[in-house]
Amino acid sequence: MLDDTLKAQLAAYLERVTLPFEMVASLDDSETSRDMRSLLETIQGLRADMISVRFDGADARKPSFSLQRTGTATSLRFAGLPLGHEFTSLVLALLWTGGHPPKVEQDVIDQIKSLDGDFNFDVYMSLTCHNCPDVVQALALMAIFNPKVKTTVIEGGAFQQEVTERDIMAVPMVFLNGQMFSSGHMLVEEIVGKLDTGAAAKDAAKLSAKDPYDVLIIGGGPAGAAAAIYAARKGIRTGVAAERFGGQVNDTMAIENYPSVQETDGPKFAAALESQTRSYGVDIMNLQVAQSLVPAAEPGGLIEVKLANGGSLKSKTVILSTGARWRNVNVPGEQEYKNKGVAYCPHCDGPLFKGKDVAVIGGGNSGIEAAIDLAGVVKHVTVIEFMPELKADAVLVKKLHSLPNVTVHTNAQTMEITGQDGKVNGLKYKDRATEAEHLVKLEGVFVQIGLVPNTEWLKGTVELSKFGEIIVDAKGHTNVPGVFAAGDCTTVPFKQIVIAAGDGSKAALSAFDHLIRH
């Protein structure tokens, strides 16, 4: 199951295990069960003094295995093989079960331990989903630290019947006590906050009590991280309030054009950004949504940022780096069938449509890359592009046209996403040249039509362009004194990671210049 290099790496990690635990497998005569037996025997053999394994489990889901720390009542189970993107989740679960402390704030651990009730989680994931590990690791952590939390991690490809019966068409998808709990990316703080109803008020009070910052950055993508690093290196008090550190980078699979980094993926890049930012002592406040900006009442006064949870933060200067999000196509059926056939991440949800017909709306680089990816998994891909020609790079278009299971409709306007029994069953589009309407029968629609800046909360405060972008000058100044902006939320052309990082650095230097002059 594991090559020699991976075994050596795993053996080094397992040296950190300090408490004995047991793995109990429930197997059948399938090939996946044989692979699971091999994997568990390998793990056990690497730390036989601390890890034991049994193959007499009686769980209904086969193949599956549980992790059980000796002398505790924890309940964590993996159904199917946790490989691919989930191998890291397995390694962390082994370490945490074996007593190695997680890299999580102590107050979050305390919150997990204090949860009271019966919490039985089923989390469905796919091995190609880069959003799934955060959710899987969060729920695994909760099961290990609170015996009232029971977590089963289910690999959708191994349990297709369950996926069909529960109408799972997007991952990660979480059920709590048999009822739908969440769909999509979530961090452990979000899950705990959803269960702990008093968490938001406590968090708001904690934030409002913080001392003012010299530089407060709103947004934690490449622009926000770079701004924080540059500001902190000036020795000034720096804070970052972010909805999700890393921002949209977390949803990017391959990064191959960042200077000095030949190849990486979004989650790794985002994790590196956060690690470097923390190394400079920056106060990172995750899961924070900004609601309004209150400019300083007088020159040299404090700027206030009010948050959605009721808290507020104050600072001498503010850098806005809120980034952008996927644009909706805004046709009937899109919201109704979201996660029921309408999807935005081909890497995450593509495997759930194996052998099915799907459409991709959008003929830019993102859309054509998605269509090429999906063509290797699904039965057939239909590309719908509004303009008369595809807008993607020529090399991508050439590759697309070489695929036998792809149909392209240009000059086509999406009119409606249709469905039946709660699931997508087709897409209506209009030929813009002839006005003729057509219906394509399919089971999935992937929307890939660009970005919209996250700036609605700034209307009436900071000057925005007609596209909603923050208007900035060459140094990142906005029209509000002491307020700067950087990255994809601004009028700076070309939305690229390297450009956003440069913008963030520039905005931080401008903010520092403002501080020493005013």
mmCIF file of all heavy atoms in Angstrom, residues 238-257:
data_model
loop_
_atom_site.group_PDB
_atom_site.id
_atom_site.type_symbol
_atom_site.label_atom_id
_atom_site.label_comp_id
_atom_site.label_asym_id
_atom_site.label_seq_id
_atom_site.Cartn_x
_atom_site.Cartn_y
_atom_site.Cartn_z
ATOM 1 N N THR A 238 0.318 44.418 14.766
ATOM 2 C CA THR A 238 -0.368 44.022 13.538
ATOM 3 C C THR A 238 -1.398 42.939 13.813
ATOM 4 O O THR A 238 -1.113 41.964 14.516
ATOM 5 C CB THR A 238 0.652 43.493 12.499
ATOM 6 O OG1 THR A 238 1.669 44.479 12.296
ATOM 7 C CG2 THR A 238 -0.022 43.161 11.186
ATOM 8 N N GLY A 239 -2.579 43.113 13.243
ATOM 9 C CA GLY A 239 -3.639 42.117 13.381
ATOM 10 C C GLY A 239 -4.244 41.775 12.026
ATOM 11 O O GLY A 239 -4.263 42.604 11.112
ATOM 12 N N VAL A 240 -4.720 40.545 11.906
ATOM 13 C CA VAL A 240 -5.418 40.099 10.696
ATOM 14 C C VAL A 240 -6.757 39.499 11.103
ATOM 15 O O VAL A 240 -6.801 38.556 11.899
ATOM 16 C CB VAL A 240 -4.611 39.037 9.921
ATOM 17 C CG1 VAL A 240 -5.423 38.536 8.718
ATOM 18 C CG2 VAL A 240 -3.272 39.587 9.463
ATOM 19 N N ALA A 241 -7.832 40.069 10.573
ATOM 20 C CA ALA A 241 -9.166 39.496 10.768
ATOM 21 C C ALA A 241 -9.586 38.884 9.445
ATOM 22 O O ALA A 241 -9.742 39.600 8.443
ATOM 23 C CB ALA A 241 -10.157 40.572 11.201
ATOM 24 N N ALA A 242 -9.737 37.566 9.396
ATOM 25 C CA ALA A 242 -9.997 36.870 8.137
ATOM 26 C C ALA A 242 -11.151 35.900 8.289
ATOM 27 O O ALA A 242 -11.290 35.235 9.326
ATOM 28 C CB ALA A 242 -8.756 36.118 7.679
ATOM 29 N N GLU A 243 -11.952 35.820 7.251
ATOM 30 C CA GLU A 243 -13.017 34.815 7.244
ATOM 31 C C GLU A 243 -12.422 33.415 7.161
ATOM 32 O O GLU A 243 -12.883 32.489 7.805
ATOM 33 C CB GLU A 243 -13.956 35.071 6.064
ATOM 34 C CG GLU A 243 -15.213 34.219 6.092
ATOM 35 C CD GLU A 243 -16.237 34.666 5.080
ATOM 36 O OE1 GLU A 243 -16.035 35.710 4.425
ATOM 37 O OE2 GLU A 243 -17.263 33.977 4.946
ATOM 38 N N ARG A 244 -11.384 33.268 6.346
ATOM 39 C CA ARG A 244 -10.656 31.993 6.223
ATOM 40 C C ARG A 244 -9.256 32.306 5.760
ATOM 41 O O ARG A 244 -9.060 32.808 4.656
ATOM 42 C CB ARG A 244 -11.358 31.068 5.223
ATOM 43 C CG ARG A 244 -10.614 29.761 4.994
ATOM 44 C CD ARG A 244 -11.389 28.731 4.187
ATOM 45 N NE ARG A 244 -11.804 29.168 2.888
ATOM 46 C CZ ARG A 244 -11.804 28.389 1.791
ATOM 47 N NH1 ARG A 244 -11.400 27.141 1.882
ATOM 48 N NH2 ARG A 244 -12.224 28.856 0.636
ATOM 49 N N PHE A 245 -8.259 32.068 6.614
ATOM 50 C CA PHE A 245 -6.891 32.418 6.247
ATOM 51 C C PHE A 245 -6.490 31.626 5.005
ATOM 52 O O PHE A 245 -6.705 30.428 4.912
ATOM 53 C CB PHE A 245 -5.912 32.155 7.398
ATOM 54 C CG PHE A 245 -4.684 33.009 7.310
ATOM 55 C CD1 PHE A 245 -4.605 34.206 7.990
ATOM 56 C CD2 PHE A 245 -3.631 32.643 6.490
ATOM 57 C CE1 PHE A 245 -3.490 35.022 7.878
ATOM 58 C CE2 PHE A 245 -2.513 33.444 6.368
ATOM 59 C CZ PHE A 245 -2.444 34.638 7.069
ATOM 60 N N GLY A 246 -5.882 32.335 4.072
ATOM 61 C CA GLY A 246 -5.539 31.725 2.793
ATOM 62 C C GLY A 246 -6.512 32.113 1.705
ATOM 63 O O GLY A 246 -6.176 32.133 0.528
ATOM 64 N N GLY A 247 -7.751 32.422 2.119
ATOM 65 C CA GLY A 247 -8.756 32.866 1.170
ATOM 66 C C GLY A 247 -8.996 31.883 0.049
ATOM 67 O O GLY A 247 -9.005 30.661 0.243
ATOM 68 N N GLN A 248 -9.167 32.409 -1.159
ATOM 69 C CA GLN A 248 -9.501 31.595 -2.313
ATOM 70 C C GLN A 248 -8.376 30.642 -2.712
ATOM 71 O O GLN A 248 -8.608 29.653 -3.400
ATOM 72 C CB GLN A 248 -9.845 32.518 -3.486
ATOM 73 C CG GLN A 248 -10.720 31.849 -4.505
ATOM 74 C CD GLN A 248 -11.130 32.789 -5.621
ATOM 75 O OE1 GLN A 248 -11.992 32.438 -6.395
ATOM 76 N NE2 GLN A 248 -10.530 33.961 -5.738
ATOM 77 N N VAL A 249 -7.159 30.919 -2.227
ATOM 78 C CA VAL A 249 -6.038 30.021 -2.509
ATOM 79 C C VAL A 249 -6.346 28.609 -2.018
ATOM 80 O O VAL A 249 -5.933 27.612 -2.624
ATOM 81 C CB VAL A 249 -4.741 30.555 -1.851
ATOM 82 C CG1 VAL A 249 -3.647 29.504 -1.857
ATOM 83 C CG2 VAL A 249 -4.261 31.799 -2.584
ATOM 84 N N ASN A 250 -7.105 28.503 -0.928
ATOM 85 C CA ASN A 250 -7.460 27.184 -0.401
ATOM 86 C C ASN A 250 -8.217 26.336 -1.413
ATOM 87 O O ASN A 250 -8.238 25.109 -1.315
ATOM 88 C CB ASN A 250 -8.331 27.340 0.854
ATOM 89 C CG ASN A 250 -7.538 27.825 2.046
ATOM 90 O OD1 ASN A 250 -6.713 27.100 2.585
ATOM 91 N ND2 ASN A 250 -7.774 29.060 2.469
ATOM 92 N N ASP A 251 -8.857 26.981 -2.382
ATOM 93 C CA ASP A 251 -9.665 26.267 -3.369
ATOM 94 C C ASP A 251 -8.934 26.081 -4.694
ATOM 95 O O ASP A 251 -9.534 25.681 -5.690
ATOM 96 C CB ASP A 251 -10.972 27.022 -3.626
ATOM 97 C CG ASP A 251 -11.775 27.217 -2.350
ATOM 98 O OD1 ASP A 251 -11.773 26.290 -1.524
ATOM 99 O OD2 ASP A 251 -12.373 28.299 -2.172
ATOM 100 N N THR A 252 -7.632 26.360 -4.708
ATOM 101 C CA THR A 252 -6.826 26.233 -5.922
ATOM 102 C C THR A 252 -6.025 24.937 -5.847
ATOM 103 O O THR A 252 -5.333 24.688 -4.869
ATOM 104 C CB THR A 252 -5.864 27.424 -6.065
ATOM 105 O OG1 THR A 252 -6.620 28.637 -6.062
ATOM 106 C CG2 THR A 252 -5.064 27.326 -7.347
ATOM 107 N N MET A 253 -6.130 24.118 -6.881
ATOM 108 C CA MET A 253 -5.430 22.837 -6.842
ATOM 109 C C MET A 253 -3.941 22.979 -7.156
ATOM 110 O O MET A 253 -3.102 22.664 -6.341
ATOM 111 C CB MET A 253 -6.080 21.863 -7.828
ATOM 112 C CG MET A 253 -7.236 21.084 -7.214
ATOM 113 S SD MET A 253 -6.791 20.230 -5.689
ATOM 114 C CE MET A 253 -5.663 19.008 -6.301
ATOM 115 N N ALA A 254 -3.613 23.450 -8.350
ATOM 116 C CA ALA A 254 -2.207 23.503 -8.764
ATOM 117 C C ALA A 254 -1.734 24.946 -8.866
ATOM 118 O O ALA A 254 -2.382 25.777 -9.494
ATOM 119 C CB ALA A 254 -2.029 22.801 -10.104
ATOM 120 N N ILE A 255 -0.603 25.254 -8.212
ATOM 121 C CA ILE A 255 0.056 26.556 -8.345
ATOM 122 C C ILE A 255 1.437 26.291 -8.934
ATOM 123 O O ILE A 255 2.292 25.672 -8.299
ATOM 124 C CB ILE A 255 0.180 27.252 -6.979
ATOM 125 C CG1 ILE A 255 -1.216 27.513 -6.395
ATOM 126 C CG2 ILE A 255 0.946 28.563 -7.118
ATOM 127 C CD1 ILE A 255 -1.202 28.053 -4.982
ATOM 128 N N GLU A 256 1.639 26.741 -10.176
ATOM 129 C CA GLU A 256 2.881 26.438 -10.881
ATOM 130 C C GLU A 256 3.547 27.682 -11.449
ATOM 131 O O GLU A 256 4.494 27.573 -12.236
ATOM 132 C CB GLU A 256 2.595 25.441 -12.021
ATOM 133 C CG GLU A 256 2.013 24.113 -11.522
ATOM 134 C CD GLU A 256 1.587 23.196 -12.653
ATOM 135 O OE1 GLU A 256 1.388 23.705 -13.774
ATOM 136 O OE2 GLU A 256 1.453 21.986 -12.410
ATOM 137 N N ASN A 257 3.029 28.873 -11.073
ATOM 138 C CA ASN A 257 3.573 30.104 -11.650
ATOM 139 C C ASN A 257 4.005 31.110 -10.599
ATOM 140 O O ASN A 257 4.151 32.294 -10.894
ATOM 141 C CB ASN A 257 2.540 30.738 -12.594
ATOM 142 C CG ASN A 257 1.216 31.037 -11.886
ATOM 143 O OD1 ASN A 257 1.050 30.746 -10.715
ATOM 144 N ND2 ASN A 257 0.285 31.618 -12.616
#
